[in-house]
Amino acid sequence: MFNIFKKKTNSNTSIEIDYNNIPKHIAIIMDGNGRWAKKKNLPRTFGHKAGVETIRKIIKECNRLGIKYLTLYAFSTENWKRPKDEVNALMTLLVEYLKKEFDELNKNGVVINYIGDISKLPKTCQEELIKAKRNTINNKGVVMNLALNYGGRAEIINALNSLISDIKDKNSKNITISEKDFEKYLYTSGMPDPDIIIRPSGEQRLSNFLLWQCAYSEFWYSDILWPDFSEADLHQAIYDYQNRDRRFGGI
Ligand code: IPE
Ligand code: IPE
Ligand code: MG
């Protein structure tokens, strides 16, 4: 039996979401901050700041909707190519965000987690992330995975290297690895694959995001820029997802 009813969002929009079919895992490529700032004749960093405001709204709404995992692509392995000033501003914003938002996130039961090779981030970022993770690990709300210095290819290679180093008898010719064995070495070990990948900003590419995990994810694109992304857009994405036919290769 479906229990469909109208849910009002903060942004005064109503859309019919099926609360019996809420995706377990939503992943978002938070894109378009730079273009948002450019449109307003502001420096790109203003776009990143505005993007943080959107993060705050969307986590709150995901938590309220009962979504179990929210993975946010915040900094890719390729984003180091950006000008030093922009990279530094992003790292500073991350530390400020964790410091400023910690109490509120913790109060709302959010589990703060990260995926990616954080050892390449500035020490202050690493410390804040480790502390936030440690202090929220027993919370019961949405797990927020911040993808930082994350790349899907790097993740797979990292998993492969860890797996090789765990193989005891390296001379054995009889080693077979299953998908399940391999997944244990990914950053997302123990988490369900994303049901839906959302990318605002008009781009229709993965940009090295969750390459292994997105095998059967539904993609949802929108021209809206991340700083303008609202609870209503999230509802629309969930609604559209619920109206897709996921066959997983079956009929
Ligand atoms: C996403 O916005 C934020 C990061 C990649 C860190 P962009 O900075 O990529 O914004 P655009 O794509 O230039 O508009
Ligand atoms: C993807 O956005 C990475 C993040 C949102 C963190 P980019 O803006 O870096 O991706 P491309 O360069 O348009 O593919
Ligand atoms: Mg971009």
Side-chain angles (χ1 to χ4, degrees), residues 34-67:
R35 277 163 284 171
W36 182 91
K38 195 173 175 205
K39 261 175 45 186
K40 293 182 153 38
N41 283 320
L42 294 167
R44 288 178 58 87
T45 44
F46 280 64
H48 297 312
K49 279 191 189 135
V52 172
E53 296 302 316
T54 306
I55 296 180
R56 181 180 297 127
K57 279 191 303 202
I58 295 306
I59 289 175
K60 218 170 162 188
E61 188 59 6
C62 284
N63 214 16
R64 197 186 68 77
L65 291 170
I67 285 149

Side-chain angles (χ1 to χ4, degrees), residues 31-32 35 82:
D31 199 16
R35 277 163 284 171
R82 296 188 177 202

